[in-house]
Amino acid sequence: MTSLLIGPADRTVVITVQQRTRTSPRDAFRILAPIDLPTVFRPVAPFPGVSGVKNQTGAWDHAGPRRNPQFDDGSQVDEELTEYVPDSSFAYQLTGFTNVLSRLAAGVRGEFNVNPDGDGTLIRWTYEFKALPGRRWILAGPFAPLWRRYMVAALDRCVHVIETETGGKETPHGPG
C-alpha cells in the first residue's frame, strides 16, 4: 500500500460539499462506495467527466485497491482506496494526474462520510488538495469555486442514483 499523500504539517486546500437523502446510511453507503464513475462524474465546464476506469485491482470494498479513472479529454489519474469503514466512510488518494492538475497539485485526498440524519442520511464529500510549491493560491482562489460547482453536480447525481436504486427510502435490514 502507498504511504499517505497528506500529513499533519501540510497546508492543504479543502473543499467540502454535502447533501441529504431519505435513504438509510447503510443503503446510501452500499450504493455510493462502488458507484459507476462515468454515471456521476460528468463534465462540468471547465472540467472533463470520467469516461471509464482501467486497471482496477480489486473490489472497491476495502483499503488497498487501485484503478485509473479515464477522463473524456484523454487524461487520467491514479486512484487508491486508502480507508474503508463499512456503512460509514471511505477515503482515497489521487496522484499522477495527466491533465492541468499535474501543474497545480501533488495529489488529492478524497473522503466520503455517510452519517445518520433523522430518517435519512447526510452525505459529506471532501476533496483535500496538496498544492505544489507556489500553487496553493491558485487552488484556494480561482480554482476552488469552479471545483465546488463540479462536486455539487457530481454529488447531486450520486444522490439521484442512490434514491433511484432504493426508491428513496430505507430498505429493511433488521438491527444494526
Side-chain angles (χ1 to χ4, degrees):
M1 193 173 333
T2 305
S3 62
L4 294 180
L5 172 73
I6 296 173
D10 290 318
R11 259 184 90 218
T12 60
V13 176
V14 179
I15 302 171
T16 300
V17 297
Q18 64 184 30
Q19 187 167 334
R20 288 174 168 80
T21 175
R22 295 179 304 267
T23 305
S24 72
R26 176 178 288 170
D27 286 337
F29 187 88
R30 175 180 54 81
I31 296 164
L32 179 63
I35 204 158
D36 180 60
L37 300 184
T39 299
V40 296
F41 295 100
R42 297 186 189 150
V44 176
F47 304 109
V50 174
S51 60
V53 174
K54 291 184 178 178
N55 309 317
Q56 187 159 327
T57 61
W60 212 247
D61 62 1
H62 63 283
R66 297 170 186 235
R67 61 188 179 187
N68 299 108
Q70 308 292 302
F71 300 105
D72 55 19
D73 66 355
S75 64
Q76 70 171 16
V77 68
D78 300 323
E79 181 178 22
E80 180 182 356
L81 192 57
T82 57
E83 297 173 28
Y84 189 92
V85 180
D87 301 333
S88 178
S89 66
F90 63 95
Y92 53 93
Q93 58 187 34
L94 304 168
T95 56
F97 289 98
T98 63
N99 57 22
V100 70
L101 275 175
S102 69
R103 294 185 209 91
L104 298 174
V108 173
R109 180 185 188 277
E111 181 176 348
F112 278 94
N113 288 277
V114 177
N115 300 295
D117 185 56
D119 291 337
T121 300
L122 176 67
I123 301 171
R124 185 171 292 125
W125 180 26
T126 299
Y127 242 57
E128 186 176 9
F129 293 87
K130 181 175 182 174
L132 289 172
R135 307 296 197 309
R136 187 180 184 284
W137 72 271
I138 298 170
L139 290 170
F143 180 87
L146 298 172
W147 190 254
R148 178 180 303 283
R149 188 177 62 164
Y150 182 85
M151 290 176 71
V152 166
L155 187 55
D156 283 347
R157 286 189 288 275
C158 288
V159 167
H160 176 76
V161 168
I162 290 165
E163 291 191 346
T164 299
E165 289 193 24
T166 63
K169 57 189 164 216
E170 181 173 349
T171 346
H173 288 289

